[in-house]
């Protein structure tokens, strides 16, 4: 993929985001909007270090991330578009998720997505090195059972399998995580903390490793802005990459529920 194609892809992704952002406001003015979707949300995040829990998807540089989610009670479409701060695309994920079971205590979700990851590749052209941005295609599916212990504490298991569709990419990825979440930890009358630690096993073709990570989120009540940090440490791994990574991200988000009359 040459530079011009990369610029065109970035423009298309941004236009895609603006289109759905604009649709959010128009939906609120249409009487029959609730027949199409029951909820819509969007978020923009800026981080000092683009981290993915799959090391082969990490950027390792400052990045900006666009998230959206829209759908009905059970089925939702949740695209995620990631870019380096320089404007180069990092990865695009187009999630479809379905709530199979939802009770007061237990939930079980399934999901699938096609994804495109972008990697810089260098080759020799007329005796000189040339770097291009190559698109790598993947398809993945997930299973996510979760159990609520108390109002603010939950535990769950997460499994993801990804299959690489192109040459020279990881063909099979397996990700299994034991997760927990501690939410609504009051720091003050206005500030609330959420901590979500996990331990996970990762296998990339013939390489594997065990890791631990935590996502810490600090938010203010009734504010669309919040701060989060991801901390990840390898316990034992032959996959490669850094043993310890972290970042800090600033987020802006909004959510709208459409209630049928």
């Amino acid at each position: 993929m040459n530079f011009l194609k990369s610029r065109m892809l970035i423009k298309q992704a941004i236009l895609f985001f603006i289109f759905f952002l604009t649709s959010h406001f128009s939906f609120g003015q249409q009487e029959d909007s609730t027949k199409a979707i029951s909820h819509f949300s969007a978020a923009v995040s800026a981080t000092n270090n683009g981290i993915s829990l799959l090391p082969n998807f990490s950027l390792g540089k400052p990045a900006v991330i666009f998230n959206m989610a829209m759908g009905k009670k059970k089925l939702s479409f949740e695209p995620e578009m990631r870019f380096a701060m320089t404007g180069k695309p990092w990865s695009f994920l187009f999630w479809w998720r379905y709530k199979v079971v939802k009770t007061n205590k237990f939930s079980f979700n399934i999901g699938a997505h096609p994804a495109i990851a972008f990697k810089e590749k260098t080759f020799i052209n007329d005796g000189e090195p040339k770097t291009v941005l190559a698109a790598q295609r993947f398809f993945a599916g997930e299973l996510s059972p979760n159990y609520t212990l108390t109002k603010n504490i939950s535990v769950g298991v997460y499994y993801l399998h990804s299959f690489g569709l192109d040459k020279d990419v990881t063909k099979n990825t397996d990700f299994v995580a034991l997760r927990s979440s501690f939410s609504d930890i009051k720091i003050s009358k206005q500030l609330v903390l959420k901590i979500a630690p996990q331990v996970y096993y990762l296998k990339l073709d013939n390489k594997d490793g065990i890791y631990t990570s935590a996502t810490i989120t600090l938010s203010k009540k009734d504010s669309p802005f919040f701060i989060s940090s991801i901390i990840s440490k390898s316990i034992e791994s032959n996959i490669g990459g850094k043993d310890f990574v972290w970042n800090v991200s600033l987020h802006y988000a909004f959510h709208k529920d459409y209630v049928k009359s």
Side-chain angles (χ1 to χ4, degrees), residues 197-218:
Q198 68 175 358
V199 177
Y200 61 93
Y201 170 77
L202 177 64
K203 184 176 182 182
L204 305 177
D205 287 338
N206 296 322
K207 298 180 179 181
D208 63 354
I210 300 174
Y211 301 79
T212 182
S213 71
T215 301
I216 303 169
T217 304
L218 179 64

Side-chain angles (χ1 to χ4, degrees), residues 48-53 55 58 60 200 210-216 229-237 240-248:
N48 69 312
N49 184 15
I51 293 176
S52 172
L53 294 180
S58 289
Y200 61 93
I210 300 174
Y211 301 79
T212 182
S213 71
T215 301
I216 303 169
S229 175
I230 297 175
I231 302 170
S232 181
K233 177 74 171 65
S234 66
I235 299 174
E236 182 179 352
S237 175
K242 295 182 179 180
D243 289 336
F244 177 79
V245 293
W246 66 275
N247 72 3
V248 176

Side-chain angles (χ1 to χ4, degrees), residues 83-101:
F83 299 87
M85 285 292 185
T86 58
K88 290 184 179 180
W90 166 16
S91 59
F92 299 159
L93 295 83
F94 301 97
W95 277 107
W96 286 93
R97 288 188 166 105
Y98 185 78
K99 297 179 177 64
V100 179
V101 178

Side-chain angles (χ1 to χ4, degrees), residues 164-261:
L165 302 176
D166 296 305
K167 296 180 179 179
D168 302 323
V169 301
T170 301
K171 291 299 182 181
N172 290 284
T173 297
D174 289 287
F175 178 94
V176 184
L178 299 176
R179 294 179 165 179
S180 58
S181 175
F182 304 87
S183 60
D184 201 24
I185 303 172
K186 293 184 178 180
I187 303 300
S188 68
K189 290 183 178 180
Q190 295 295 323
L191 297 178
V192 177
L193 193 68
K194 178 181 178 180
I195 302 175
Q198 68 175 358
V199 177
Y200 61 93
Y201 170 77
L202 177 64
K203 184 176 182 182
L204 305 177
D205 287 338
N206 296 322
K207 298 180 179 181
D208 63 354
I210 300 174
Y211 301 79
T212 182
S213 71
T215 301
I216 303 169
T217 304
L218 179 64
S219 59
K220 183 180 179 181
K221 292 184 178 180
D222 301 322
S223 173
F225 295 95
F226 60 95
I227 298 172
S228 73
S229 175
I230 297 175
I231 302 170
S232 181
K233 177 74 171 65
S234 66
I235 299 174
E236 182 179 352
S237 175
N238 60 13
I239 292 176
K242 295 182 179 180
D243 289 336
F244 177 79
V245 293
W246 66 275
N247 72 3
V248 176
S249 303
L250 175 64
H251 308 261
Y252 172 82
F254 67 82
H255 179 89
K256 176 69 175 180
D257 289 317
Y258 300 99
V259 181
K260 292 182 179 181
S261 57

Side-chain angles (χ1 to χ4, degrees), residues 95-98 109-113 139-144 159:
W95 277 107
W96 286 93
R97 288 188 166 105
Y98 185 78
N109 300 337
I110 61 175
H113 77 252
F139 187 82
E142 66 176 6
L143 302 173
S144 180
Y159 173 69

